[in-house]
Amino acid sequence: MAGEYDTAITVFSPDGRLFQVEYAQEAVKKGSTAVGVRGKNIVVLGVEKKAVAVLQEDRTVRKICILDDHVAMAFAGLTADARVLMHRARIECQSHRLNVEDPVTIEYITRYIADLQQKYTQGRGRRPFGLSTLIVGFDYDGSPRLYSTDPSGTYHEWKANAIGRQAKTVREYLEKSYTETTYESNHESIKLCIRALLEVVQSGSKNVEIAVMLRHKQLKTLSADEVEKYIAEIEKENEIEAEKKKQAKQIGSSTTTTASSTLTTQTSKKE
Amino acid sequence: MVESIIGIRGKDFVLLAQDANTTKYGILNMKFDTNRLFKLSEHCAMLAAGEPGDVVQFAEYVGKNIQLYKMINGIELSPYACANFTRHEMATSLRSRNSFLANVIVGGFSTNERDQERAQLYSIDYLGAMISANVVAHGFCQFFALAIGDRLWKEDL
């Protein structure tokens, strides 16, 4: 059924689908995972760092990039497509500053990128961009923002989101774990981002890259040592959790005996 | 011609100065907060004087393009590169529909350690001629500033 309706993307299928867009979304699912978390005073981006070939220069993989002093972007999907989109977005950021003397709001630049992605789903036989993006930053009124776009050109605002490989698993983890504490604390936001990534990535600072942006500050990539510290903290917390669970199980199996012993002590005290 | 801008280069610094923050129209003072100094990047700035609209338009255009270069390529352009870019824009626009009546001084400290001269100062006039010198000036003050510079500028200011 798909055969006839997926060559020219301007064509809808009989059941109302754009197959090229859906195939682009499949391409995104093959890309390495990216996670974004928004706190009260911080925005965090984390990406999975794929292992590089032995002879390849291990420079930081450019999956997190700045679009302007106050906007950063991570993507999942075709790297080359991302480069093109990034270039256009950077020009737009400066153009906006030139014309209206104000830095872009995160929503504005997200909408610009989403509009670009949509344009390529509607005409002249060009294929859509095969990538989803996570766009973070602070508006000039100081509010932190996290937005996400996808190949169809839709965009939404998120408190925390994941894109790319196994995004669904990571998103479910984020839904379970994102709390008021995460929102309030910078430290917790960064930790949650790393935790979420570690759900699908092997543990170790060489497999993740974390970038953090504070209000009125530039994007800062955490060093390997800093990431290791967070990972150590996470692993300790996991151990404590595991211990608690083990103890809970043990207590559960021996409640009857402990109950009787407390009763006996109470009666003896009375006497 | 009425607005004056001066640039002086020292061993490891560049000094950029503008005259009063006023824009005159004949005998009237139109504006009291005129800023002729425009930041191009963290270590480079531009002074511009001439037609008020052209000054702001041109300076901001150059400034945003320098920022764009930084975003795309991740490095800051040296004052030498900024000045050459400015000159190019000025010269291109001269023989087109929209030319800028703005005299410009570009100066800064290069962040590139391999540059021999780190403090860089350039003057570009509205016809797109660029020179590098220790003392540069535009406006009426240039008659005085350049003469004083000739006499009194020395190597280790």
Side-chain angles (χ1 to χ4, degrees), chain B residues 50-137:
Chain B
E51 189 71 45
D54 284 352
V55 157
V56 175
Q57 184 76 340
F58 183 72
E60 287 193 347
Y61 172 72
V62 170
K64 294 297 179 279
N65 270 285
I66 306 294
Q67 285 300 315
L68 181 62
Y69 186 94
K70 186 183 104 181
M71 291 300 154
I72 293 175
N73 298 294
I75 59 159
E76 217 180 73
L77 280 173
S78 67
Y80 173 69
C82 290
N84 275 289
F85 175 75
T86 308
R87 187 213 64 79
H88 181 88
E89 289 298 316
M90 193 70 90
T92 322
S93 70
L94 182 66
R95 307 264 169 203
S96 73
R97 302 250 99 215
N98 51 327
S99 60
F100 297 100
L101 193 61
N103 295 312
V104 149
I105 293 175
V106 177
F109 193 83
S110 171
T111 48
N112 184 357
E113 281 120 25
R114 278 179 266 172
D115 269 343
Q116 285 206 320
E117 271 174 25
R118 302 285 293 276
Q120 298 168 343
L121 181 64
Y122 299 86
S123 158
I124 298 134
D125 76 353
Y126 73 104
L127 295 170
M130 182 170 98
I131 61 151
S132 169
N134 296 317
V135 178
V136 296

Side-chain angles (χ1 to χ4, degrees), chain A:
Chain A
M1 181 175 79
E4 283 170 44
Y5 298 99
D6 63 359
T7 42
I9 57 166
T10 46
V11 182
F12 274 106
S13 73
D15 56 344
R17 293 154 74 176
L18 287 169
F19 278 115
Q20 279 298 303
V21 174
E22 289 185 17
Y23 297 162
Q25 282 162 343
E26 286 302 308
V28 170
K29 286 192 198 147
K30 293 204 166 36
S32 45
T33 321
V35 177
V37 175
R38 181 194 81 188
K40 192 162 158 205
N41 302 307
I42 192 174
V43 285
V44 190
L45 279 175
V47 294
E48 172 191 354
K49 251 189 350 193
K50 281 219 174 102
V52 296
V54 174
L55 290 173
Q56 198 175 341
E57 289 280 355
D58 189 2
R59 273 185 306 164
T60 329
V61 176
R62 301 243 180 86
K63 280 204 57 168
I64 302 178
C65 11
I66 47 167
L67 300 181
D68 200 352
D69 289 328
H70 63 299
V71 193
M73 175 179 119
F75 64 90
L78 274 54
T79 318
D81 285 4
R83 210 172 50 229
V84 169
L85 265 186
M86 250 196 285
H87 188 82
R88 301 282 294 270
R90 282 170 172 158
I91 292 174
E92 181 60 23
C93 283
Q94 295 306 317
S95 186
H96 187 274
R97 275 187 193 254
L98 184 61
N99 292 329
V100 305
E101 200 78 12
D102 269 334
V104 293
T105 58
I106 313 305
E107 206 235 334
Y108 178 92
I109 197 65
T110 307
R111 200 165 354 113
Y112 179 80
I113 292 174
D115 281 350
L116 266 181
Q117 287 183 291
Q118 190 279 341
K119 218 179 286 194
Y120 283 67
T121 70
Q122 201 180 21
R124 309 269 202 88
R126 292 181 297 192
R127 65 163 178 82
F129 286 98
L131 72 150
S132 291
T133 66
L134 285 172
I135 299 164
V136 297
F138 288 85
D139 291 342
Y140 47 75
D141 66 354
S143 40
R145 301 266 178 217
L146 163 64
Y147 282 88
S148 174
T149 71
D150 80 336
S152 66
T154 49
Y155 71 92
H156 297 282
E157 188 174 359
W158 294 81
K159 294 187 186 128
N161 193 16
I163 52 175
R165 199 170 60 89
Q166 293 179 293
K168 200 153 170 290
T169 316
V170 180
R171 201 176 305 125
E172 279 166 5
Y173 178 79
L174 287 169
E175 280 172 18
K176 252 192 321 170
S177 322
Y178 186 92
T179 60
E180 198 57 37
T181 330
T182 321
Y183 178 70
E184 291 289 331
S185 153
N186 291 357
H187 189 82
E188 291 300 315
S189 297
I190 300 174
K191 229 172 24 176
L192 177 64
C193 187
I194 300 177
R195 269 182 181 281
L197 264 179
L198 293 180
E199 288 283 305
V200 295
V201 166
Q202 257 192 330
S203 178
S205 70
K206 63 174 173 58
N207 297 316
V208 300
E209 185 183 323
I210 310 290
V212 158
M213 193 190 289
L214 297 169
R215 192 172 286 114
H216 304 312
K217 295 249 160 69
Q218 290 205 317
L219 186 76
K220 179 169 135 13
T221 313
L222 296 187
S223 68
D225 289 332
E226 288 171 312
V227 177
E228 277 299 339
K229 268 201 224 140
Y230 278 103
I231 292 181
E233 199 180 316
I234 289 169
E235 283 176 354
K236 220 201 237 164
E237 282 177 9
N238 288 348
E239 275 173 34
I240 295 174
E241 269 300 309
E243 267 302 309
K244 270 200 205 146
K245 280 204 184 123
K246 232 199 305 180
Q247 281 181 0
K249 257 198 199 154
Q250 283 176 347
I251 290 173
S253 62
S254 58
T255 30
T256 43
T257 44
T258 45
S260 54
S261 58
T262 48
L263 277 174
T264 46
T265 46
Q266 276 181 352
T267 45
S268 59
K269 272 188 190 159
K270 272 187 190 168
E271 284 165 358

